[in-house]
Short mmCIF file of all heavy atoms in Angstrom, two decimals:
data_model
loop_
_atom_site.label_atom_id
_atom_site.label_comp_id
_atom_site.label_asym_id
_atom_site.label_seq_id
_atom_site.Cartn_x
_atom_site.Cartn_y
_atom_site.Cartn_z
N MET W 1 4.81 16.77 -12.86
CA MET W 1 4.62 16.69 -11.36
C MET W 1 3.11 16.63 -10.98
O MET W 1 2.28 17.34 -11.55
CB MET W 1 5.22 17.98 -10.75
CG MET W 1 5.25 18.04 -9.36
SD MET W 1 6.63 17.27 -8.78
CE MET W 1 6.77 18.03 -7.13
N ILE W 2 2.84 15.69 -10.19
CA ILE W 2 1.44 15.57 -9.72
C ILE W 2 1.10 16.57 -8.60
O ILE W 2 1.88 16.72 -7.70
CB ILE W 2 1.25 14.09 -9.22
CG1 ILE W 2 1.48 13.05 -10.19
CG2 ILE W 2 -0.25 13.86 -8.66
CD1 ILE W 2 0.60 12.94 -11.44
N PRO W 3 -0.02 17.32 -8.69
CA PRO W 3 -0.31 18.22 -7.70
C PRO W 3 -0.49 17.58 -6.32
O PRO W 3 -1.06 16.50 -6.15
CB PRO W 3 -1.66 18.84 -8.11
CG PRO W 3 -1.78 18.54 -9.58
CD PRO W 3 -0.93 17.31 -9.79
N ARG W 4 -0.01 18.22 -5.27
CA ARG W 4 -0.14 17.76 -3.90
C ARG W 4 -1.48 17.36 -3.51
O ARG W 4 -1.69 16.30 -2.85
CB ARG W 4 0.51 18.74 -2.92
CG ARG W 4 0.45 18.27 -1.46
CD ARG W 4 1.31 19.34 -0.62
NE ARG W 4 0.90 19.15 0.78
CZ ARG W 4 1.35 18.21 1.55
NH1 ARG W 4 2.09 17.28 1.15
NH2 ARG W 4 1.00 18.20 2.87
N GLU W 5 -2.46 18.14 -3.91
CA GLU W 5 -3.86 17.85 -3.48
C GLU W 5 -4.36 16.62 -4.06
O GLU W 5 -5.06 15.80 -3.42
CB GLU W 5 -4.74 19.04 -3.97
CG GLU W 5 -6.25 18.79 -3.67
CD GLU W 5 -7.10 20.00 -4.04
OE1 GLU W 5 -6.74 21.11 -3.71
OE2 GLU W 5 -8.05 19.73 -4.83
N ARG W 6 -3.93 16.26 -5.32
CA ARG W 6 -4.34 15.05 -5.93
C ARG W 6 -3.75 13.87 -5.20
O ARG W 6 -4.31 12.78 -5.04
CB ARG W 6 -3.90 15.09 -7.45
CG ARG W 6 -4.43 13.88 -8.22
CD ARG W 6 -4.26 13.99 -9.61
NE ARG W 6 -4.65 12.68 -10.37
CZ ARG W 6 -4.02 12.27 -11.39
NH1 ARG W 6 -3.10 13.10 -12.00
NH2 ARG W 6 -4.37 11.14 -11.91
N ILE W 7 -2.46 13.95 -4.84
CA ILE W 7 -1.76 12.91 -4.08
C ILE W 7 -2.55 12.66 -2.75
O ILE W 7 -2.76 11.56 -2.42
CB ILE W 7 -0.30 13.20 -3.82
CG1 ILE W 7 0.49 13.20 -5.19
CG2 ILE W 7 0.37 12.30 -2.88
CD1 ILE W 7 1.86 13.69 -5.12
N LEU W 8 -2.75 13.76 -2.04
CA LEU W 8 -3.49 13.67 -0.71
C LEU W 8 -4.91 13.10 -0.81
O LEU W 8 -5.37 12.54 0.16
CB LEU W 8 -3.50 15.02 0.01
CG LEU W 8 -2.12 15.51 0.38
CD1 LEU W 8 -2.21 16.91 0.98
CD2 LEU W 8 -1.39 14.68 1.35
N ASN W 9 -5.53 13.05 -2.03
CA ASN W 9 -6.81 12.56 -2.22
C ASN W 9 -6.76 11.17 -2.69
O ASN W 9 -7.83 10.50 -2.87
CB ASN W 9 -7.63 13.39 -3.14
CG ASN W 9 -8.11 14.75 -2.53
OD1 ASN W 9 -8.34 14.76 -1.39
ND2 ASN W 9 -8.13 15.75 -3.40
N SER W 10 -5.61 10.61 -2.82
CA SER W 10 -5.42 9.16 -3.28
C SER W 10 -6.05 8.24 -2.24
O SER W 10 -6.08 8.56 -1.01
CB SER W 10 -3.92 8.87 -3.47
OG SER W 10 -3.34 9.67 -4.49
N ARG W 11 -6.45 7.14 -2.66
CA ARG W 11 -7.04 6.06 -1.86
C ARG W 11 -5.97 5.18 -1.30
O ARG W 11 -5.26 4.59 -2.17
CB ARG W 11 -8.15 5.28 -2.60
CG ARG W 11 -9.32 6.11 -3.03
CD ARG W 11 -10.28 5.38 -3.93
NE ARG W 11 -9.67 4.59 -5.06
CZ ARG W 11 -9.25 5.19 -6.23
NH1 ARG W 11 -9.65 6.47 -6.43
NH2 ARG W 11 -8.77 4.47 -7.15
N ILE W 12 -5.85 5.04 0.06
CA ILE W 12 -4.88 4.31 0.63
C ILE W 12 -5.59 3.18 1.55
O ILE W 12 -6.44 3.53 2.40
CB ILE W 12 -3.95 5.10 1.54
CG1 ILE W 12 -3.25 6.14 0.68
CG2 ILE W 12 -2.88 4.15 2.24
CD1 ILE W 12 -2.31 7.10 1.36
N MET W 13 -5.08 1.97 1.47
CA MET W 13 -5.65 0.82 2.25
C MET W 13 -4.53 0.27 3.10
O MET W 13 -3.43 0.10 2.55
CB MET W 13 -6.21 -0.21 1.23
CG MET W 13 -6.84 -1.40 1.97
SD MET W 13 -7.69 -2.43 0.71
CE MET W 13 -7.16 -4.05 1.29
N ILE W 14 -4.87 0.04 4.35
CA ILE W 14 -3.90 -0.50 5.37
C ILE W 14 -4.40 -1.92 5.77
O ILE W 14 -5.49 -2.05 6.09
CB ILE W 14 -3.78 0.31 6.59
CG1 ILE W 14 -3.37 1.76 6.21
CG2 ILE W 14 -2.79 -0.25 7.51
CD1 ILE W 14 -3.56 2.76 7.34
N VAL W 15 -3.58 -2.92 5.60
CA VAL W 15 -3.89 -4.27 6.18
C VAL W 15 -2.76 -4.65 7.09
O VAL W 15 -1.48 -4.89 6.70
CB VAL W 15 -3.96 -5.34 5.04
CG1 VAL W 15 -4.23 -6.70 5.60
CG2 VAL W 15 -5.02 -4.88 4.01
N ASP W 16 -3.06 -4.80 8.39
CA ASP W 16 -2.03 -5.17 9.44
C ASP W 16 -2.81 -5.79 10.56
O ASP W 16 -3.82 -5.18 11.00
CB ASP W 16 -1.26 -3.97 9.91
CG ASP W 16 -0.10 -4.25 10.74
OD1 ASP W 16 -0.21 -5.13 11.67
OD2 ASP W 16 1.02 -3.67 10.51
N ASP W 17 -2.44 -6.94 11.06
CA ASP W 17 -3.18 -7.56 12.11
C ASP W 17 -3.06 -6.92 13.52
O ASP W 17 -3.82 -7.14 14.38
CB ASP W 17 -2.76 -9.02 12.26
CG ASP W 17 -1.33 -9.20 12.72
OD1 ASP W 17 -0.51 -8.50 12.12
OD2 ASP W 17 -1.05 -10.11 13.56
N GLN W 18 -2.11 -6.03 13.61
CA GLN W 18 -1.85 -5.28 14.92
C GLN W 18 -2.60 -3.91 14.81
O GLN W 18 -2.25 -3.02 14.06
CB GLN W 18 -0.44 -4.99 15.15
CG GLN W 18 0.37 -6.30 15.36
CD GLN W 18 -0.02 -7.10 16.60
OE1 GLN W 18 -0.24 -6.44 17.64
NE2 GLN W 18 -0.19 -8.39 16.45
N GLU W 19 -3.67 -3.69 15.65
CA GLU W 19 -4.43 -2.54 15.64
C GLU W 19 -3.62 -1.25 15.91
O GLU W 19 -3.84 -0.25 15.35
CB GLU W 19 -5.62 -2.55 16.62
CG GLU W 19 -6.58 -1.43 16.54
CD GLU W 19 -7.82 -1.64 17.49
OE1 GLU W 19 -7.98 -2.69 18.12
OE2 GLU W 19 -8.60 -0.66 17.45
N SER W 20 -2.64 -1.43 16.81
CA SER W 20 -1.75 -0.32 17.13
C SER W 20 -1.03 0.16 15.94
O SER W 20 -0.82 1.44 15.69
CB SER W 20 -0.83 -0.69 18.28
OG SER W 20 0.00 -1.66 17.95
N ASN W 21 -0.59 -0.73 15.08
CA ASN W 21 0.14 -0.29 13.76
C ASN W 21 -0.81 0.38 12.84
O ASN W 21 -0.46 1.35 12.16
CB ASN W 21 0.73 -1.54 13.14
CG ASN W 21 1.90 -2.15 13.80
OD1 ASN W 21 2.50 -1.53 14.71
ND2 ASN W 21 2.11 -3.41 13.63
N VAL W 22 -2.07 -0.18 12.73
CA VAL W 22 -3.04 0.47 11.85
C VAL W 22 -3.29 1.89 12.36
O VAL W 22 -3.29 2.86 11.59
CB VAL W 22 -4.39 -0.37 11.86
CG1 VAL W 22 -5.51 0.39 11.11
CG2 VAL W 22 -4.16 -1.72 11.17
#
Side-chain angles (χ1 to χ4, degrees):
M1 184 87 158
I2 301 290
R4 178 172 163 73
E5 181 178 307
R6 187 167 172 216
I7 292 170
L8 294 176
N9 287 328
S10 298
R11 295 174 312 275
I12 300 174
M13 181 173 137
I14 303 167
V15 180
D16 192 312
D17 64 316
Q18 297 294 316
E19 187 174 357
S20 59
N21 291 337
V22 170

